[in-house]
């Protein structure tokens, strides 16, 4: 299951939600931004004050707005009471609460809580998170039109706590970014038009009300039905939920049932069978990809300081390997990469980092690989880290490539697939708490096996290491940060009941055969008490309890006459401790008892003790007890009674014949020889047994070595599996990159083919790398010319310095622009620029040819027209001026200069009112010319008087016309030209005649 928030929060939220309102009452949070007012109108128009819901609306408004107008606008559209939220106000059903523009709206039990909104805080996320924590599954989050991603992170919290997410259908939104973000992250349970949302709210209210009416604190389903459902899900999606805690899974199943308005699990199973997509939806619901950057910031800071102060300075390899199982959409993996980059910079210890981030959710892994996150991560990531590790692109933050390259994302089931190995750090937060204890123990054993010595493990704040305290010791108990006592190279791997062998002993060395046999044969305290009860119940004389090999487990009574310690290493084997005359009988009787499983006895056994002989009766019988599982035998010793009166005592018989005496002596001698022979045979037999035991021990030692070899092979096999897993992960990552490169390559190919600009790419050696089809007008190129020097290609230009100019650009790193002509007479603007790679490295040049033939022709036409105009102006017999819009003289003909007796130097570039010694500085004339510019009409025969000399005044008529620049589309905008000419013709009255217009017209036509 993907990562989740702390269990304590979930339980707290659920409890708060239940204690706030009666059963069936819901919190409904609505977030809107740009374009959200009309959808709000459509929703509130259908709300009823009788609905058991409290509504909370947050709309993005400027914090400087002051009093919000939204309450008055909504109040006109609904029958519900609409109030501006007030800090400390009690929440009532049937009321719509509006968040003030400069405040964050949250909850404190059944009271509203308002706080100051900071610049980077996302108000909709803040509302939704508070909804989730207070109402749990009794809340609905609604996302309407908006131009940012506020609400996405809050929707994840609502989803985690069992609430419902409704997004406005992006096709109906004026600004679709906000609802589309929730849809793209897979959080939306439903997409609907705003007018349909109130009906969905009522349906969910009815479902929850019916459930609350009969629900106990724990949701329970039939085990057989659960197994049937799990089997269906496993067959569809390949994931088994049996090891997950029942309450967690039951809540997710109930949520899907509520969504479909189904009351019985049996009916829901029927739905899953008939609708293949429902199994996938249930799977997604169970695997809520809920996470965020630096969850519990203090814990991540503790991890960073541990890396800086303890781990990295002592690291003896150039590789740092980490594993983040249950990574969801990658925030936690990227958080680890960021603090690791910071730690390496602080310590100066730089490693080749490989962080394996895994999850069973394919869609979450795909999103994690992109490394793109909404703007509202600003609430979790500091501004400094955002600048250093992220790039901001149109309402999104993209992780920088340096951090992205540290992480390898892959699909993996942490319970079933082999773990990664030789890891420096494992972060598995808030995942194990959803597993049953057996599954938790199995996963934790994988972690212990996978870590290096002193490797770091960080769990969620609601999780613990269980029975693995001998494998891990705490670095910070409050943050659940642990350090491995042993590494994969020297600690025993803990496995579940399905694993057949142990790899190493607790001391780090392979377990020896003797120690293993002693462990198998050892008996605990409860076994010893059981033996005492057996001996007391039987009221036995001096006795022993031994196993089949004669190893003594318990001694009862005084046995000094029967046993003595052996020389050398202490030994507790009864056959080696038995005194002379007893050993052979014990070995025989013990073997017979073990074979027949019946009591065996031997009477009058002579036992030599300190030079004396004592007769003993021996009895051996099997014993049983539930406290020890080895085969045990009770050996009891009892002194034989002396011969009774009247029995034959050969030594005291005096009246026997000499022949009989000789016969007795011979028999005694023969008996002594037999005993001696039997003693020799017994010793040889015991020696043979010792040799056999020695051989057996050697065989057992060999067997142990073989077992150790098998265990090493199993370890090697698992390492190979882990390597294969890594290779598969790398292959997936490379395939994803190859696909992306292929798409980029296709886009580039299409751009190059579709463009009309001839482009040529050359490398640093001026060999051809790529070109566009339009280059054929400049040179003869074929596909086979790729890789050839550009100097080998025939040019179709009247220009031969391409190689020289390209080398100059490579040397100076400055762009070069020239105009060149091809053999067909067409003109091109050639521009040579350095080719820069993404890492700011120069890798050749880019040569572009832009067709400017039409521009050149236009320039020629313009030059001809200008020459004609200047000639006409110059030969005119009357004074003629060309002014700009500011009445500055641009051109003056000879007649003007001669009439007003001024030089060209003193008139060109000066205002007409300042030139000619101010003779034309007349307010009426100035006003007439300025109106000519604004109203664009013709000034005709405007009379003025000019004093040319102190004694000479001349009456003149002014003819003027504003001349605009024109294009094919009409008059060109003023921004295209800095100034426009004003043609001014000055005619003296005596010379006025109708032919003047004939001379003026061609000049005007030119302009």
């Amino acid at each position: 299951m993907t990562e989740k928030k702390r269990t304590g929060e979930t339980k707290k939220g659920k409890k708060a939600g239940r204690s706030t309102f009666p059963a069936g009452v819901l919190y409904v949070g609505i977030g809107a931004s740009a374009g959200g007012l009309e959808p709000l109108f459509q929703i509130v128009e259908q709300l009823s004050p009788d609905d058991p819901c409290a509504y909370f609306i947050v709309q993005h408004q400027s914090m400087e707005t002051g009093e919000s107008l939204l309450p008055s606008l909504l109040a006109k559209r609904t029958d519900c009471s609409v109030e501006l939220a007030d800090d400390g106000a009690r929440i009532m059903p049937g009321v719509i609460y509006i968040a003030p523009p400069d405040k964050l709206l949250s909850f404190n039990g059944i009271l509203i809580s308002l706080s100051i909104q900071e610049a980077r805080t996302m108000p909709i996320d803040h509302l939704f998170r508070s909804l989730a924590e207070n109402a749990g599954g009794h809340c609905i989050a609604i996302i309407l039109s908006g131009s940012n991603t506020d609400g996405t992170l809050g929707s994840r919290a609502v989803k985690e706590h069992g609430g419902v997410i409704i997004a406005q259908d992006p096709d109906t939104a004026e600004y679709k970014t906000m609802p589309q973000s929730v849809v793209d992250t897979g959080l939306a349970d439903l997409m609907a038009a705003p007018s349909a949302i109130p009906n969905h709210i009522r349906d969910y209210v009815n479902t929850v009300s019916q459930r609350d009416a009969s629900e106990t604190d724990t949701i329970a389903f039939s085990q057989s039905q659960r197994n049937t459902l799990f089997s269906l899900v496993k067959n569809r999606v390949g994931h088994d939920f049996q090891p997950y805690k029942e309450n967690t899974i039951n809540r997710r199943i109930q949520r899907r049932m509520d969504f479909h308005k189904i009351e019985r699990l049996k009916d829901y199973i029927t739905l899953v069978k008939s609708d293949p997509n429902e199994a996938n939806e249930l799977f997604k619901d169970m695997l809520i990809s809920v996470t965020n950057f630096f969850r519990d910031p203090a814990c991540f800071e503790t991890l960073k300081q541990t890396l800086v102060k303890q781990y990295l300075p002592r690291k003896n390899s150039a590789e740092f390997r980490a594993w983040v199982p249950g990574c969801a959409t990658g925030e936690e993996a990227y958080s680890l990469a960021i603090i690791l980059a910071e730690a390496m910079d602080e310590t100066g210890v730089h490693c080749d980092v490989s962080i394996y981030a895994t999850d069973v959710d394919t869609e979450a892994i795909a999103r994690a690989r992109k490394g793109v996150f909404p703007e509202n991560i600003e609430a979790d990531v500091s501004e400094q880290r955002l600048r250093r590790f992220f790039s901001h692109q149109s309402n999104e933050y993209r992780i920088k490539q340096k951090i992205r390259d540290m992480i390898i994302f892959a699909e993996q089931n942490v319970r079933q697939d082999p773990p990664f190995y030789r890891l420096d750090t494992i972060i598995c937060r808030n995942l194990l708490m959803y597993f049953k204890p057996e599954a938790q123990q199995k996963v934790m054993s994988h972690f212990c096996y996978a870590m290096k010595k002193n490797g770091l493990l960080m769990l969620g704040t609601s999780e613990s290491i269980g029975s693995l305290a001998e494998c891990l010791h705490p670095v910070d108990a409050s943050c659940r940060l642990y350090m491995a006592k042993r590494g994969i190279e020297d600690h025993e791997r803990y496995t579940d009941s399905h694993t057949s062998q142990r790899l190493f002993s607790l001391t780090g060395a392979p377990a020896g055969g003797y120690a293993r046999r002693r462990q198998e044969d050892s008996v605990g305290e409860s076994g010893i008490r059981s033996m005492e009860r057996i001996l007391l119940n039987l009221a036995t004389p001096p006795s022993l309890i031994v196993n089949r090999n004669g190893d003594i487990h318990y001694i009862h009574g005084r046995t000094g006459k029967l046993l003595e310690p052996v020389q050398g290493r202490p030994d507790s084997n009864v056959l080696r401790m038995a005194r002379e005359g007893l050993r052979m009988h014990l070995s025989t009787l013990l073997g017979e008892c073990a074979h027949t499983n019946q009591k065996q006895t031997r009477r009058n056994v002579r036992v030599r003790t300190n030079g004396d002989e004592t007769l003993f009766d021996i009895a051996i019988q099997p014993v049983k007890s539930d406290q020890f599982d080895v085969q045990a035998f009770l050996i009891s010793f009892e002194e034989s009674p002396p011969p009774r009166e009247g029995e034959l005592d050969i030594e005291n018989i005096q009246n026997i014949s000499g022949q009989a005496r000789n016969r007795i002596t011979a028999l005694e001698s023969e008996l002594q020889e037999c005993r001696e022979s039997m003693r020799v045979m017994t010793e040889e037999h015991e020696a043979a047994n010792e040799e056999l035991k020695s051989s057996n021990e050697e065989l057992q030692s060999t067997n142990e070595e073989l077992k150790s070899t098998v265990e090493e092979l199993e370890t090697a096999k698992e390492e190979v599996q882990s390597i294969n897993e890594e290779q598969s992960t790398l292959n997936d990552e490379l395939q994803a990159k190859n696909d992306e490169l292929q798409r980029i390559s296709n886009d580039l190919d299409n751009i190059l083919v579709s463009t009309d600009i001839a482009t040529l790419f050359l490398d640093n050696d001026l060999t051809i790398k790529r070109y566009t089809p339009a280059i054929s007008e400049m040179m003869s190129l074929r596909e086979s010319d790729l890789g050839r020097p550009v100097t080998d290609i025939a040019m179709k230009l009247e220009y031969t310095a391409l190689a020289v100019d390209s080398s100059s650009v490579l040397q100076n790193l400055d762009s070069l622009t020239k105009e060149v002509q091809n053999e067909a007479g067409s003109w091109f603007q050639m521009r040579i620029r350095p080719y820069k790679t993404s890492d700011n490295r120069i890798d050749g040049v880019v040569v572009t040819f832009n067709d400017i033939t039409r521009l050149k022709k236009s320039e020629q036409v313009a030059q001809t027209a200008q020459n004609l105009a200047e000639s006409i102006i110059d030969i005119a017999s009357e004074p003629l001026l060309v002014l700009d819009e500011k009445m500055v003289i641009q051109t003056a003909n000879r007649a003007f200069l001669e009439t007003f007796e001024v030089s060209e130097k003193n008139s060109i570039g000066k205002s007409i009112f300042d030139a000619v010694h101010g003779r034309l500085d007349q307010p009426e004339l100035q006003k007439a010319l300025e109106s000519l510019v604004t109203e664009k009409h013709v000034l005709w025969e405007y009379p003025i008087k000019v004093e040319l000399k102190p004694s000479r005044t001349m009456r003149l008529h002014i003819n003027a016309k504003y001349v605009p620049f024109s294009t094919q589309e009409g008059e060109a905008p003023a921004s295209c030209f800095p100034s426009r000419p004003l043609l001014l013709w000055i005619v003296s009255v005596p010379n006025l005649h109708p032919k003047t217009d004939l001379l003026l017209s061609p000049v005007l036509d030119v302009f």
Side-chain angles (χ1 to χ4, degrees), residues 21 54 65 177 179 256 285 319 333 434 572 583 645 652 655 669 671 675 697 701 755-756 826 875 880 886 912:
F21 283 134
T65 301
T177 305
R256 294 302 303 172
D285 233 26
E319 184 182 21
Y434 295 102
S572 60
R583 184 178 305 163
E645 293 184 4
N652 295 328
N655 300 323
S669 176
L671 177 59
R675 287 178 175 174
E697 290 181 355
S701 176
T755 183
D756 291 331
S826 298
I875 66 174
L880 187 63
K886 297 181 180 179
I912 187 175

Side-chain angles (χ1 to χ4, degrees), residues 675-734:
R675 287 178 175 174
E676 188 66 23
S677 177
M678 181 64 70
R679 185 184 64 78
V680 172
M681 291 177 63
T682 300
E683 291 178 354
E684 291 178 354
H685 181 263
E686 290 177 351
N689 283 341
E690 289 295 328
E691 292 179 1
L692 289 174
K693 288 182 179 179
S694 177
S695 298
N696 185 44
E697 290 181 355
E698 290 178 2
L699 291 175
Q700 288 180 342
S701 176
T702 302
N703 188 41
E704 290 296 327
E705 292 177 1
L706 290 175
K707 287 182 179 180
S708 178
T709 302
V710 170
E711 291 168 355
E712 291 176 2
L713 290 175
E714 288 180 353
T715 303
K717 177 183 176 183
E718 294 184 356
E719 291 179 356
V720 170
Q721 288 177 338
S722 296
I723 293 173
N724 289 339
E725 190 76 19
E726 294 180 18
Q727 292 295 329
S728 176
T729 301
L730 288 173
N731 288 339
D732 292 343
E733 191 79 7
L734 291 175

